[in-house]
């Protein structure tokens, strides 16, 4: 089974930037979707950004204009560029993938994804 490994988390000050990466150990499929989710203790996992197999994207309202999701197919790698970070962005960030991309209105729902990474922590201080 394909494994997802995230990297790039860390501690930054408010207004700073980070770039997360997620490397897939193999091909997920031509109709796959990939996404980033985040979670803080005691809260449900929240969809942050997703990208479809032809490159369409979807973002949570809270990150629109600050975060950019993209992938490099030749490297089997998904990225999340995060700019203008806020303390509210502090969370464990998870990469996820599904071999069969659902309708775009479901791209930010955790239950649509069957492959998950272990997560990378992002901490933003004020």
């Amino acid at each position: 089974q394909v494994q997802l490994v995230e990297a790039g988390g860390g501690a930054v000050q408010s207004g700073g930037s980070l770039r997360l990466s997620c490397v897939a150990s193999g091909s997920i499929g031509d109709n796959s979707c990939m996404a980033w989710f985040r979670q803080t203790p005691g809260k449900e996992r929240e969809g942050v950004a997703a990208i479809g197999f032809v490159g369409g994207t979807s973002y949570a309202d809270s990150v629109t204009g600050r975060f950019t999701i993209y992938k490099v197919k030749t490297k089997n790698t998904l990225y999340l560029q995060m700019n203008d970070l806020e303390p509210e962005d502090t969370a464990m960030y998870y990469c996820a993938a599904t071999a069969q991309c659902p309708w775009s209105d479901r791209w930010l729902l955790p239950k649509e994804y069957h492959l998950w990474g272990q997560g990378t922590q992002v901490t933003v201080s004020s």
Side-chain angles (χ1 to χ4, degrees):
Q1 183 167 335
V2 175
Q3 293 185 332
L4 305 177
V5 179
E6 303 99 332
V12 296
Q13 290 189 329
S14 182
S17 298
L18 284 173
R19 188 180 72 164
L20 305 183
S21 63
C22 170
V23 179
S25 61
S27 175
I28 299 168
D30 293 337
N31 298 324
S32 62
C33 270
M34 297 188 75
W36 289 96
F37 291 82
R38 65 188 182 187
Q39 190 170 23
T40 54
K43 292 190 176 181
E44 294 186 354
R45 195 164 291 190
E46 171 193 23
V48 175
I51 186 166
F53 55 89
V54 293
T57 57
S58 180
Y59 295 92
D61 290 344
S62 59
V63 307
T64 298
R66 300 188 297 122
F67 291 10
T68 302
I69 187 172
Y70 64 99
K71 60 184 177 181
V72 178
K73 287 186 177 180
T74 54
K75 295 184 178 180
N76 278 347
T77 303
L78 177 73
Y79 296 95
L80 184 68
Q81 177 67 44
M82 305 186 295
N83 297 330
D84 195 19
L85 283 161
E86 304 168 351
E88 292 74 21
D89 296 317
T90 295
M92 184 71 78
Y93 282 71
Y94 297 92
C95 172
T98 178
Q100 290 296 327
C101 206
W103 291 110
S104 60
D105 60 349
R106 302 184 67 80
W107 284 0
L108 296 181
L109 297 179
K111 63 182 180 181
E112 296 294 340
Y113 296 84
H114 66 280
L115 291 173
W116 291 87
Q118 293 301 306
T120 185
Q121 178 67 37
V122 172
T123 302
V124 184
S125 58
S126 57

